[in-house]
Amino acid sequence: MPRSLPLLPAALLSALSFVAVPPGAAAGEGQPDRAHVWVADDGTRVRREDVGLPLSRGEGNALFRPGEPIRLGALRGEVVAFQVIVEAGAEPVRGVTVDVSGLGPAAGAGTPARPAAPAKEPAAPAQQPQAQATGEPPAQAIRIDRFVEHYVEIKLRSRNERRPMESLGWSPAARPPDDRHLGFLPDALIPVELAPPWAPYPLEVGAREARAVWIDLHVPEGAAPGVHEGKVVVGSASHGALASLDLRLDVAPATLPYSAVDFIAFYEASEVAERVGDGPAVEQQLWQLLHEHHVDGFASVRSPAEVERLRAAIDGSLYTEARGYRGPGAGVPPAAVALGAYGGFGDPGEETLRRVEAVAELLPPAVDDVMLYAVDEQCESPRGPGWRRLVRGSRLSSRILVGHSCGEVDPVKQDVDLVLTPANRFDSVWARAAREAGKRLWVYNGALPRAGTFMIDAPLTGLMADGWIAASHEVGRWFLWETAFWHDGNRGGKGPVDPFTVAENFHNQDGDACLGDGMLLYPGTQRGKFASRSLGFAGVLPSMRLKSLRRGIQDAGYIALARSASPDAADAIVKEVIPAALDEARDTSPAAWSSEGAPFFRGRAALRALIPAGASLDPAGVRRVLADAAVARRALVPLAGAQGSSAGRDGRDGRPADGPGPAEPGPLGRWRRTGLLLAVAALGAAAVALALALYRRGRRGRGAERR
């Protein structure tokens, strides 16, 4: 590491501080003297201490301008979300309520107005949309769900103990900045009906602090097209009425495909049972909640009894009105089932094969992929090849795919049917060759700058970007290794945590510490030593990161619909929003997509404008359109070539050892470059002097922090 420089000029330090701290973040700057209400999109995370941000004045805010209506667009079958932020001035604001009412078709739009039930009477909390509450809105009305955003304090970032600037979620160059990810960050979403004293509703907003309510608008497939109008009304016990904001939702006459790209998410059933409870209602609610967010639960079955326990989830009958489900993807079964996830069946053997066959033959035929998960992240293990040889002689050989996870070896050279590779090691050339050889390839997890990351201390747009990436690259299914990792049970783990108070939930023997890794869900009930943070709800709650992932998956549906009508225009929009990802990106660069939600919001609106009236696509049509999109992407965006040690690149297949970098950003991203140029100009001669000093005095330390 370069030696530190003594006594930098005060002017240079001042200039650097100006560049590092966002406008309004300095103490006292831009902070309101009185209560203030504003609206943020669903790709923006506002910390508890973030008062007086430019976004709160409408600057760079795609959704909110003071004095103007909140304007949203949607397709039929979509959920759109926004956040209502309440800031206190010099005095606390007590008893804050946020209501949405009267959301129905405007006069002359679509069918006669059919008002939705007000937000005070939503579906039963955290089981939305599988509610059986009284006073339900009509079937084709827009349903409204509200959540209190719960904050957790971040004092230390996700990191590796030996290389603190990198983590399992990012390379050093792509590390999200501290000035936006330390402090009190919101993530858990608690239905307002369940809000406890430690995350109350009505809200209690401390002086010079912000609090927020997350709002989901569920647009049914039968919703009337056209503009729907309503009001967002914010009041308080201490200050009376705070705001009344017009809300306009423009519903396009087209239907969003359900789960246009496949995300499958594992959960450890025994750990959920230990923390929340072991009743079947808890597990079924978990499956329904994931399904509502366009994510498949990834069942791990090892016995006929486990198949029977999960049959309704596996055959799709759990996602019907008869089982209390009223969300998207009614009756759609999960895409894949694991036979013994993470090597659950152990070593191959004839007796064990009989057990595998007994389980596999009970699985519903509607499930596309039945994967015998031989072993996890052990490329040299003989289990995968051994199981493959056994299964080839089985009466169910055409039904069972033998797979394992391995990112270091060419999939063509791996003697299994299905290879799971980390998203940050995905190789387009390898993937194409594997498919041509008849193998299946999926990706899992993700790390910046190549894909989004689970981590709480990262922008929400990372998981949103994953949906766009899946729609424009040949990644197969996208596997999420865990969703309820509250127990920190790895080798090197430190034991169970209360996720409502501790964000650092993952440790391993390699010195990695992660915030929110494998944790997209929060426990509705906590038993044992964490009972004081229990909500008394027999189920699990969503996170803002799960909502962000849903947004990206829905955007993939937008891409498919838009591309089926205007392929070139749709491809250009995707390239604009996601200039580089996977093996197009360099580990030595930041993520190429924006850390703010506005560019995604604008890109989504541009795609919506391309979708013809009445458009819809069945699953086969979606697959066909997105397969073509992946082919077109290769012609539009160059691969990056060698990426550094974490990618394991070697310039094979004629690819240069150091290929071109990410595509140039378009208008949506040029603000970054403009800001950088302004900062360089402000630094002036002092920056030049610093560069010269670094060159003379720190040459020998370059690259010391690389893995």
Side-chain angles (χ1 to χ4, degrees):
M1 178 177 290
R3 290 169 290 180
S4 59
L5 298 175
L7 300 175
L8 288 173
L12 177 57
L13 286 174
S14 176
L16 287 173
S17 298
F18 175 79
V19 173
V21 180
E29 182 183 351
Q31 295 184 352
D33 292 326
R34 55 188 177 83
H36 176 55
V37 176
W38 59 285
V39 175
D41 61 63
D42 55 358
T44 298
R45 182 184 269 123
V46 180
R47 298 176 300 175
R48 196 172 78 182
E49 53 267 48
D50 283 337
V51 294
L53 293 177
L55 288 171
S56 71
R57 302 188 292 272
E59 299 172 21
N61 192 324
L63 200 57
F64 170 78
R65 298 285 188 280
E68 297 183 14
I70 305 164
R71 290 185 170 89
L72 291 162
L75 304 180
R76 290 164 159 178
E78 182 181 355
V79 180
V80 292
F82 62 97
Q83 303 170 74
V84 178
I85 315 296
V86 181
E87 297 180 6
E91 298 179 352
V93 183
R94 307 295 186 192
V96 176
T97 57
V98 178
D99 294 307
V100 182
S101 60
L103 187 58
T111 58
R114 184 189 291 122
K120 293 179 180 178
E121 301 180 57
Q127 295 197 28
Q128 65 316 88
Q130 54 268 35
Q132 297 297 325
T134 59
E136 290 179 342
Q140 305 310 323
I142 294 169
R143 196 179 73 253
I144 302 160
D145 290 329
R146 296 168 300 157
F147 303 86
V148 174
E149 297 185 9
H150 175 64
Y151 302 82
V152 62
E153 186 175 15
I154 308 299
K155 296 180 179 180
L156 290 174
R157 301 291 306 283
S158 297
R159 62 199 177 277
N160 181 276
E161 297 295 351
R162 294 181 291 277
R163 298 173 295 277
M165 296 302 289
E166 72 175 65
S167 80
L168 292 179
W170 50 75
S171 69
R175 183 177 187 265
D178 284 352
D179 60 14
R180 297 300 302 152
H181 298 94
L182 290 174
F184 285 88
L185 270 65
D187 189 59
L189 295 177
I190 302 174
V192 296
E193 299 82 1
L194 296 178
W198 41 270
Y201 184 86
L203 306 177
E204 297 294 314
V205 188
R208 307 293 189 193
E209 289 184 348
R211 295 291 192 280
V213 169
W214 179 286
I215 296 175
D216 275 349
L217 304 178
H218 298 255
V219 182
E221 291 189 5
V227 175
H228 293 237
E229 296 180 336
K231 290 275 189 183
V232 176
V233 179
V234 184
S236 72
S238 61
H239 289 65
L242 297 178
S244 179
L245 307 174
D246 291 329
L247 173 63
R248 294 182 182 173
L249 174 66
D250 188 0
V251 178
T255 303
L256 183 76
Y258 176 73
S259 190
V261 289
D262 292 324
F263 281 76
I264 55 178
F266 180 76
Y267 68 99
E268 182 59 63
S270 61
E271 294 294 342
V272 172
E274 182 174 347
R275 182 67 64 95
V276 183
D278 56 3
V282 172
E283 191 169 25
Q284 290 176 4
Q285 185 270 342
L286 182 153
W287 278 84
Q288 289 182 329
L289 184 65
L290 289 176
H291 195 81
E292 178 192 334
H293 289 79
H294 295 248
V295 176
D296 285 337
F298 193 44
S300 174
V301 290
R302 290 174 292 181
S303 69
E306 289 183 335
V307 175
E308 290 308 312
R309 188 188 85 230
L310 294 172
R311 181 165 295 281
I314 297 172
D315 67 18
S317 62
L318 185 60
Y319 320 115
T320 60
E321 286 194 36
R323 302 299 292 266
Y325 183 82
R326 296 186 292 113
V332 178
V337 170
L339 299 172
Y342 297 112
F345 273 107
D347 293 330
E350 291 291 344
E351 182 178 345
T352 310
L353 177 62
R354 302 287 84 80
R355 292 169 47 211
V356 168
E357 290 173 333
V359 174
E361 64 186 358
L362 293 175
L363 295 173
V367 177
D368 290 337
D369 291 336
V370 177
M371 172 196 179
L372 196 162
Y373 199 151
V375 70
D376 183 59
E377 294 187 340
Q378 297 179 45
C379 296
E380 72 288 350
S381 173
R383 276 191 182 179
W387 271 116
R388 193 185 194 202
R389 287 190 296 271
L390 266 182
V391 168
R392 281 173 177 167
S394 166
R395 69 181 189 277
L396 297 178
S397 59
S398 62
R399 178 67 164 149
I400 299 172
L401 297 168
V402 175
H404 67 192
S405 55
C406 171
E408 292 81 11
V409 179
D410 185 341
V412 172
K413 299 176 182 178
Q414 299 183 44
D415 189 14
V416 291
D417 304 306
L418 190 157
V419 176
L420 286 80
T421 188
N424 57 306
R425 291 181 181 270
F426 177 83
D427 183 294
S428 298
V429 175
W430 276 1
R432 189 179 310 115
R435 291 188 174 92
E436 290 173 353
K439 292 181 181 291
R440 306 286 292 278
L441 187 139
W442 301 350
V443 300
Y444 67 95
N445 300 347
L448 302 169
R450 296 163 180 258
T453 175
F454 268 121
M455 312 309 173
I456 291 175
D457 54 329
L460 288 174
T461 54
L463 287 171
M464 193 179 295
D466 285 348
W468 292 66
I469 295 168
S472 53
H473 296 77
E474 294 181 297
V475 299
R477 307 195 195 284
W478 203 311
F479 173 51
L480 309 179
W481 75 276
E482 246 284 16
T483 51
F485 196 71
W486 314 310
H487 51 281
D488 199 6
N490 282 336
R491 291 186 297 272
K494 298 187 178 181
V497 300
D498 169 15
F500 293 109
T501 58
V502 176
E504 191 169 303
N505 71 317
F506 176 102
H507 301 84
N508 63 20
Q509 290 180 319
D510 297 325
D512 291 298
C514 301
L515 280 61
D517 195 13
M519 190 183 76
L520 294 179
L521 304 172
Y522 286 81
T525 292
Q526 298 204 81
R527 306 193 300 182
K529 64 180 180 180
F530 303 126
S532 63
R533 293 287 183 175
S534 177
L535 303 175
F537 172 69
V540 294
L541 309 179
S543 63
M544 293 174 70
R545 289 167 296 135
L546 178 61
K547 302 288 185 185
S548 186
L549 179 61
R550 175 190 65 190
R551 181 64 268 168
I553 297 171
Q554 292 186 140
D555 289 349
Y558 270 65
I559 293 167
L561 290 171
R563 198 179 193 282
S564 66
S566 303
D568 292 343
D571 291 344
I573 293 167
V574 175
K575 179 184 175 184
E576 180 81 359
V577 176
I578 310 291
L582 302 178
D583 51 349
E584 303 159 355
R586 295 181 180 277
D587 289 333
T588 53
S589 300
W593 56 84
S594 176
S595 61
E596 304 297 330
F600 287 85
F601 187 95
R602 291 193 291 268
R604 190 177 309 121
L607 289 168
R608 187 166 53 248
L610 298 176
I611 298 173
S616 65
L617 282 172
D618 62 16
V622 170
R623 287 193 296 270
R624 182 177 62 254
V625 170
L626 295 186
D628 291 342
V631 173
R633 175 79 178 191
R634 288 283 57 82
L636 282 175
V637 182
L639 300 179
Q643 301 292 327
S645 59
S646 68
R649 301 283 180 182
D650 58 7
R652 57 191 173 276
D653 299 314
R655 193 180 302 165
D658 191 14
E664 288 294 311
L668 295 180
R670 288 188 184 125
W671 63 269
R672 294 175 179 159
R673 179 167 294 177
T674 300
L676 179 60
L677 291 173
L678 290 173
V680 170
L683 292 172
V688 174
L690 175 60
L692 290 173
L694 285 169
Y695 178 78
R696 290 195 302 267
R697 305 184 63 175
R699 291 181 66 211
R700 292 191 298 176
R702 285 184 293 182
E705 289 185 344
R706 293 181 182 171
R707 178 172 282 181

PDB file of all heavy atoms in Angstrom, residues 622-650:
ATOM      1  N   VAL A 622     -42.139 -15.345 -24.380  1.00  0.00           N
ATOM      2  CA  VAL A 622     -41.146 -14.592 -23.606  1.00  0.00           C
ATOM      3  C   VAL A 622     -39.762 -15.197 -23.790  1.00  0.00           C
ATOM      4  O   VAL A 622     -38.781 -14.485 -24.041  1.00  0.00           O
ATOM      5  CB  VAL A 622     -41.537 -14.571 -22.114  1.00  0.00           C
ATOM      6  CG1 VAL A 622     -40.391 -13.996 -21.276  1.00  0.00           C
ATOM      7  CG2 VAL A 622     -42.800 -13.754 -21.901  1.00  0.00           C
ATOM      8  N   ARG A 623     -39.651 -16.524 -23.671  1.00  0.00           N
ATOM      9  CA  ARG A 623     -38.351 -17.182 -23.818  1.00  0.00           C
ATOM     10  C   ARG A 623     -37.757 -16.924 -25.205  1.00  0.00           C
ATOM     11  O   ARG A 623     -36.556 -16.667 -25.344  1.00  0.00           O
ATOM     12  CB  ARG A 623     -38.487 -18.681 -23.565  1.00  0.00           C
ATOM     13  CG  ARG A 623     -38.701 -19.047 -22.103  1.00  0.00           C
ATOM     14  CD  ARG A 623     -38.520 -20.543 -21.878  1.00  0.00           C
ATOM     15  NE  ARG A 623     -39.522 -21.324 -22.583  1.00  0.00           N
ATOM     16  CZ  ARG A 623     -40.700 -21.672 -22.069  1.00  0.00           C
ATOM     17  NH1 ARG A 623     -41.030 -21.280 -20.844  1.00  0.00           N
ATOM     18  NH2 ARG A 623     -41.551 -22.413 -22.766  1.00  0.00           N
ATOM     19  N   ARG A 624     -38.591 -16.992 -26.212  1.00  0.00           N
ATOM     20  CA  ARG A 624     -38.105 -16.795 -27.575  1.00  0.00           C
ATOM     21  C   ARG A 624     -37.591 -15.363 -27.771  1.00  0.00           C
ATOM     22  O   ARG A 624     -36.498 -15.155 -28.311  1.00  0.00           O
ATOM     23  CB  ARG A 624     -39.231 -17.090 -28.565  1.00  0.00           C
ATOM     24  CG  ARG A 624     -38.824 -16.960 -30.034  1.00  0.00           C
ATOM     25  CD  ARG A 624     -39.969 -17.331 -30.943  1.00  0.00           C
ATOM     26  NE  ARG A 624     -41.130 -16.450 -30.777  1.00  0.00           N
ATOM     27  CZ  ARG A 624     -42.254 -16.807 -30.161  1.00  0.00           C
ATOM     28  NH1 ARG A 624     -42.372 -18.015 -29.638  1.00  0.00           N
ATOM     29  NH2 ARG A 624     -43.258 -15.949 -30.054  1.00  0.00           N
ATOM     30  N   VAL A 625     -38.360 -14.390 -27.311  1.00  0.00           N
ATOM     31  CA  VAL A 625     -37.972 -12.988 -27.495  1.00  0.00           C
ATOM     32  C   VAL A 625     -36.693 -12.673 -26.728  1.00  0.00           C
ATOM     33  O   VAL A 625     -35.786 -12.000 -27.243  1.00  0.00           O
ATOM     34  CB  VAL A 625     -39.119 -12.055 -27.051  1.00  0.00           C
ATOM     35  CG1 VAL A 625     -38.642 -10.606 -27.007  1.00  0.00           C
ATOM     36  CG2 VAL A 625     -40.305 -12.188 -27.989  1.00  0.00           C
ATOM     37  N   LEU A 626     -36.585 -13.162 -25.495  1.00  0.00           N
ATOM     38  CA  LEU A 626     -35.403 -12.849 -24.694  1.00  0.00           C
ATOM     39  C   LEU A 626     -34.180 -13.624 -25.158  1.00  0.00           C
ATOM     40  O   LEU A 626     -33.044 -13.147 -24.997  1.00  0.00           O
ATOM     41  CB  LEU A 626     -35.687 -13.109 -23.214  1.00  0.00           C
ATOM     42  CG  LEU A 626     -36.770 -12.206 -22.590  1.00  0.00           C
ATOM     43  CD1 LEU A 626     -36.872 -12.444 -21.089  1.00  0.00           C
ATOM     44  CD2 LEU A 626     -36.517 -10.728 -22.883  1.00  0.00           C
ATOM     45  N   ALA A 627     -34.356 -14.801 -25.727  1.00  0.00           N
ATOM     46  CA  ALA A 627     -33.215 -15.506 -26.327  1.00  0.00           C
ATOM     47  C   ALA A 627     -32.644 -14.686 -27.479  1.00  0.00           C
ATOM     48  O   ALA A 627     -31.420 -14.562 -27.640  1.00  0.00           O
ATOM     49  CB  ALA A 627     -33.644 -16.890 -26.803  1.00  0.00           C
ATOM     50  N   ASP A 628     -33.523 -14.109 -28.286  1.00  0.00           N
ATOM     51  CA  ASP A 628     -33.062 -13.231 -29.368  1.00  0.00           C
ATOM     52  C   ASP A 628     -32.381 -11.985 -28.814  1.00  0.00           C
ATOM     53  O   ASP A 628     -31.412 -11.481 -29.394  1.00  0.00           O
ATOM     54  CB  ASP A 628     -34.241 -12.830 -30.252  1.00  0.00           C
ATOM     55  CG  ASP A 628     -34.804 -13.991 -31.058  1.00  0.00           C
ATOM     56  OD1 ASP A 628     -34.098 -15.012 -31.198  1.00  0.00           O
ATOM     57  OD2 ASP A 628     -35.954 -13.877 -31.536  1.00  0.00           O
ATOM     58  N   ALA A 629     -32.891 -11.488 -27.688  1.00  0.00           N
ATOM     59  CA  ALA A 629     -32.283 -10.305 -27.074  1.00  0.00           C
ATOM     60  C   ALA A 629     -30.849 -10.584 -26.646  1.00  0.00           C
ATOM     61  O   ALA A 629     -29.964  -9.732 -26.788  1.00  0.00           O
ATOM     62  CB  ALA A 629     -33.109  -9.844 -25.878  1.00  0.00           C
ATOM     63  N   ALA A 630     -30.595 -11.772 -26.111  1.00  0.00           N
ATOM     64  CA  ALA A 630     -29.242 -12.125 -25.681  1.00  0.00           C
ATOM     65  C   ALA A 630     -28.295 -12.204 -26.873  1.00  0.00           C
ATOM     66  O   ALA A 630     -27.129 -11.791 -26.786  1.00  0.00           O
ATOM     67  CB  ALA A 630     -29.261 -13.448 -24.923  1.00  0.00           C
ATOM     68  N   VAL A 631     -28.774 -12.729 -27.995  1.00  0.00           N
ATOM     69  CA  VAL A 631     -27.944 -12.782 -29.202  1.00  0.00           C
ATOM     70  C   VAL A 631     -27.635 -11.372 -29.693  1.00  0.00           C
ATOM     71  O   VAL A 631     -26.490 -11.049 -30.034  1.00  0.00           O
ATOM     72  CB  VAL A 631     -28.653 -13.601 -30.299  1.00  0.00           C
ATOM     73  CG1 VAL A 631     -27.886 -13.522 -31.615  1.00  0.00           C
ATOM     74  CG2 VAL A 631     -28.812 -15.059 -29.859  1.00  0.00           C
ATOM     75  N   ALA A 632     -28.650 -10.522 -29.707  1.00  0.00           N
ATOM     76  CA  ALA A 632     -28.440  -9.154 -30.167  1.00  0.00           C
ATOM     77  C   ALA A 632     -27.497  -8.389 -29.240  1.00  0.00           C
ATOM     78  O   ALA A 632     -26.715  -7.544 -29.697  1.00  0.00           O
ATOM     79  CB  ALA A 632     -29.783  -8.426 -30.263  1.00  0.00           C
ATOM     80  N   ARG A 633     -27.561  -8.687 -27.944  1.00  0.00           N
ATOM     81  CA  ARG A 633     -26.688  -8.006 -26.978  1.00  0.00           C
ATOM     82  C   ARG A 633     -25.224  -8.227 -27.315  1.00  0.00           C
ATOM     83  O   ARG A 633     -24.398  -7.319 -27.186  1.00  0.00           O
ATOM     84  CB  ARG A 633     -26.992  -8.532 -25.571  1.00  0.00           C
ATOM     85  CG  ARG A 633     -26.099  -8.011 -24.451  1.00  0.00           C
ATOM     86  CD  ARG A 633     -26.503  -6.638 -24.008  1.00  0.00           C
ATOM     87  NE  ARG A 633     -25.673  -6.154 -22.905  1.00  0.00           N
ATOM     88  CZ  ARG A 633     -25.935  -5.065 -22.182  1.00  0.00           C
ATOM     89  NH1 ARG A 633     -27.013  -4.355 -22.434  1.00  0.00           N
ATOM     90  NH2 ARG A 633     -25.131  -4.689 -21.206  1.00  0.00           N
ATOM     91  N   ARG A 634     -24.877  -9.436 -27.749  1.00  0.00           N
ATOM     92  CA  ARG A 634     -23.479  -9.728 -28.067  1.00  0.00           C
ATOM     93  C   ARG A 634     -22.978  -8.880 -29.222  1.00  0.00           C
ATOM     94  O   ARG A 634     -21.799  -8.572 -29.317  1.00  0.00           O
ATOM     95  CB  ARG A 634     -23.303 -11.210 -28.405  1.00  0.00           C
ATOM     96  CG  ARG A 634     -23.421 -12.139 -27.224  1.00  0.00           C
ATOM     97  CD  ARG A 634     -22.160 -12.173 -26.328  1.00  0.00           C
ATOM     98  NE  ARG A 634     -21.773 -10.883 -25.800  1.00  0.00           N
ATOM     99  CZ  ARG A 634     -22.310 -10.324 -24.725  1.00  0.00           C
ATOM    100  NH1 ARG A 634     -23.236 -10.945 -24.059  1.00  0.00           N
ATOM    101  NH2 ARG A 634     -21.901  -9.137 -24.308  1.00  0.00           N
ATOM    102  N   ALA A 635     -23.873  -8.487 -30.119  1.00  0.00           N
ATOM    103  CA  ALA A 635     -23.466  -7.626 -31.224  1.00  0.00           C
ATOM    104  C   ALA A 635     -23.386  -6.160 -30.807  1.00  0.00           C
ATOM    105  O   ALA A 635     -22.668  -5.374 -31.428  1.00  0.00           O
ATOM    106  CB  ALA A 635     -24.438  -7.785 -32.393  1.00  0.00           C
ATOM    107  N   LEU A 636     -24.107  -5.797 -29.762  1.00  0.00           N
ATOM    108  CA  LEU A 636     -24.161  -4.404 -29.329  1.00  0.00           C
ATOM    109  C   LEU A 636     -23.082  -4.041 -28.323  1.00  0.00           C
ATOM    110  O   LEU A 636     -22.557  -2.918 -28.336  1.00  0.00           O
ATOM    111  CB  LEU A 636     -25.527  -4.109 -28.693  1.00  0.00           C
ATOM    112  CG  LEU A 636     -26.722  -3.887 -29.614  1.00  0.00           C
ATOM    113  CD1 LEU A 636     -27.985  -3.742 -28.786  1.00  0.00           C
ATOM    114  CD2 LEU A 636     -26.517  -2.655 -30.482  1.00  0.00           C
ATOM    115  N   VAL A 637     -22.768  -4.959 -27.412  1.00  0.00           N
ATOM    116  CA  VAL A 637     -21.873  -4.652 -26.292  1.00  0.00           C
ATOM    117  C   VAL A 637     -20.692  -5.611 -26.314  1.00  0.00           C
ATOM    118  O   VAL A 637     -20.878  -6.828 -26.256  1.00  0.00           O
ATOM    119  CB  VAL A 637     -22.622  -4.761 -24.942  1.00  0.00           C
ATOM    120  CG1 VAL A 637     -21.693  -4.399 -23.786  1.00  0.00           C
ATOM    121  CG2 VAL A 637     -23.854  -3.868 -24.936  1.00  0.00           C
ATOM    122  N   PRO A 638     -19.461  -5.102 -26.381  1.00  0.00           N
ATOM    123  CA  PRO A 638     -18.297  -5.995 -26.423  1.00  0.00           C
ATOM    124  C   PRO A 638     -18.024  -6.623 -25.064  1.00  0.00           C
ATOM    125  O   PRO A 638     -18.372  -6.076 -24.019  1.00  0.00           O
ATOM    126  CB  PRO A 638     -17.160  -5.058 -26.826  1.00  0.00           C
ATOM    127  CG  PRO A 638     -17.592  -3.714 -26.321  1.00  0.00           C
ATOM    128  CD  PRO A 638     -19.087  -3.680 -26.466  1.00  0.00           C
ATOM    129  N   LEU A 639     -17.405  -7.792 -25.089  1.00  0.00           N
ATOM    130  CA  LEU A 639     -16.922  -8.406 -23.860  1.00  0.00           C
ATOM    131  C   LEU A 639     -15.661  -7.686 -23.415  1.00  0.00           C
ATOM    132  O   LEU A 639     -14.931  -7.111 -24.215  1.00  0.00           O
ATOM    133  CB  LEU A 639     -16.644  -9.890 -24.082  1.00  0.00           C
ATOM    134  CG  LEU A 639     -17.845 -10.717 -24.532  1.00  0.00           C
ATOM    135  CD1 LEU A 639     -17.435 -12.167 -24.743  1.00  0.00           C
ATOM    136  CD2 LEU A 639     -18.978 -10.625 -23.527  1.00  0.00           C
ATOM    137  N   ALA A 640     -15.399  -7.762 -22.118  1.00  0.00           N
ATOM    138  CA  ALA A 640     -14.301  -6.987 -21.561  1.00  0.00           C
ATOM    139  C   ALA A 640     -12.964  -7.699 -21.648  1.00  0.00           C
ATOM    140  O   ALA A 640     -11.941  -7.128 -21.325  1.00  0.00           O
ATOM    141  CB  ALA A 640     -14.594  -6.626 -20.104  1.00  0.00           C
ATOM    142  N   GLY A 641     -12.941  -8.970 -22.021  1.00  0.00           N
ATOM    143  CA  GLY A 641     -11.668  -9.680 -22.059  1.00  0.00           C
ATOM    144  C   GLY A 641     -11.214 -10.030 -20.663  1.00  0.00           C
ATOM    145  O   GLY A 641     -12.009 -10.304 -19.776  1.00  0.00           O
ATOM    146  N   ALA A 642      -9.895 -10.012 -20.437  1.00  0.00           N
ATOM    147  CA  ALA A 642      -9.352 -10.384 -19.124  1.00  0.00           C
ATOM    148  C   ALA A 642      -9.851  -9.426 -18.071  1.00  0.00           C
ATOM    149  O   ALA A 642      -9.883  -8.226 -18.265  1.00  0.00           O
ATOM    150  CB  ALA A 642      -7.828 -10.367 -19.170  1.00  0.00           C
ATOM    151  N   GLN A 643     -10.250  -9.977 -16.908  1.00  0.00           N
ATOM    152  CA  GLN A 643     -10.892  -9.174 -15.879  1.00  0.00           C
ATOM    153  C   GLN A 643     -10.125  -9.116 -14.576  1.00  0.00           C
ATOM    154  O   GLN A 643     -10.556  -8.479 -13.648  1.00  0.00           O
ATOM    155  CB  GLN A 643     -12.285  -9.748 -15.593  1.00  0.00           C
ATOM    156  CG  GLN A 643     -13.195  -9.777 -16.799  1.00  0.00           C
ATOM    157  CD  GLN A 643     -13.580  -8.390 -17.247  1.00  0.00           C
ATOM    158  OE1 GLN A 643     -13.720  -7.485 -16.435  1.00  0.00           O
ATOM    159  NE2 GLN A 643     -13.727  -8.201 -18.526  1.00  0.00           N
ATOM    160  N   GLY A 644      -9.012  -9.794 -14.461  1.00  0.00           N
ATOM    161  CA  GLY A 644      -8.345  -9.826 -13.169  1.00  0.00           C
ATOM    162  C   GLY A 644      -8.576 -11.146 -12.467  1.00  0.00           C
ATOM    163  O   GLY A 644      -9.297 -12.016 -12.929  1.00  0.00           O
ATOM    164  N   SER A 645      -7.983 -11.291 -11.326  1.00  0.00           N
ATOM    165  CA  SER A 645      -7.918 -12.592 -10.675  1.00  0.00           C
ATOM    166  C   SER A 645      -9.269 -13.161 -10.308  1.00  0.00           C
ATOM    167  O   SER A 645      -9.472 -14.366 -10.365  1.00  0.00           O
ATOM    168  CB  SER A 645      -7.054 -12.489  -9.415  1.00  0.00           C
ATOM    169  OG  SER A 645      -7.594 -11.535  -8.527  1.00  0.00           O
ATOM    170  N   SER A 646     -10.227 -12.336  -9.905  1.00  0.00           N
ATOM    171  CA  SER A 646     -11.483 -12.893  -9.423  1.00  0.00           C
ATOM    172  C   SER A 646     -12.290 -13.517 -10.537  1.00  0.00           C
ATOM    173  O   SER A 646     -13.168 -14.326 -10.289  1.00  0.00           O
ATOM    174  CB  SER A 646     -12.322 -11.805  -8.736  1.00  0.00           C
ATOM    175  OG  SER A 646     -12.776 -10.862  -9.670  1.00  0.00           O
ATOM    176  N   ALA A 647     -11.997 -13.183 -11.795  1.00  0.00           N
ATOM    177  CA  ALA A 647     -12.753 -13.754 -12.895  1.00  0.00           C
ATOM    178  C   ALA A 647     -12.074 -14.961 -13.498  1.00  0.00           C
ATOM    179  O   ALA A 647     -12.673 -15.706 -14.248  1.00  0.00           O
ATOM    180  CB  ALA A 647     -12.967 -12.706 -13.978  1.00  0.00           C
ATOM    181  N   GLY A 648     -10.823 -15.163 -13.226  1.00  0.00           N
ATOM    182  CA  GLY A 648     -10.119 -16.314 -13.753  1.00  0.00           C
ATOM    183  C   GLY A 648      -9.933 -16.268 -15.254  1.00  0.00           C
ATOM    184  O   GLY A 648      -9.940 -17.297 -15.919  1.00  0.00           O
ATOM    185  N   ARG A 649      -9.786 -15.096 -15.844  1.00  0.00           N
ATOM    186  CA  ARG A 649      -9.676 -14.966 -17.290  1.00  0.00           C
ATOM    187  C   ARG A 649      -8.258 -15.276 -17.764  1.00  0.00           C
ATOM    188  O   ARG A 649      -7.278 -15.030 -17.074  1.00  0.00           O
ATOM    189  CB  ARG A 649     -10.023 -13.538 -17.722  1.00  0.00           C
ATOM    190  CG  ARG A 649     -11.418 -13.134 -17.326  1.00  0.00           C
ATOM    191  CD  ARG A 649     -12.405 -13.763 -18.265  1.00  0.00           C
ATOM    192  NE  ARG A 649     -13.752 -13.369 -17.883  1.00  0.00           N
ATOM    193  CZ  ARG A 649     -14.822 -13.789 -18.504  1.00  0.00           C
ATOM    194  NH1 ARG A 649     -14.713 -14.623 -19.505  1.00  0.00           N
ATOM    195  NH2 ARG A 649     -16.003 -13.406 -18.132  1.00  0.00           N
ATOM    196  N   ASP A 650      -8.160 -15.766 -18.986  1.00  0.00           N
ATOM    197  CA  ASP A 650      -6.828 -16.035 -19.539  1.00  0.00           C
ATOM    198  C   ASP A 650      -6.760 -15.727 -21.031  1.00  0.00           C
ATOM    199  O   ASP A 650      -5.862 -16.177 -21.717  1.00  0.00           O
ATOM    200  CB  ASP A 650      -6.433 -17.498 -19.292  1.00  0.00           C
ATOM    201  CG  ASP A 650      -7.424 -18.482 -19.886  1.00  0.00           C
ATOM    202  OD1 ASP A 650      -8.344 -18.047 -20.602  1.00  0.00           O
ATOM    203  OD2 ASP A 650      -7.257 -19.688 -19.627  1.00  0.00           O
TER     204      ASP A 650
END
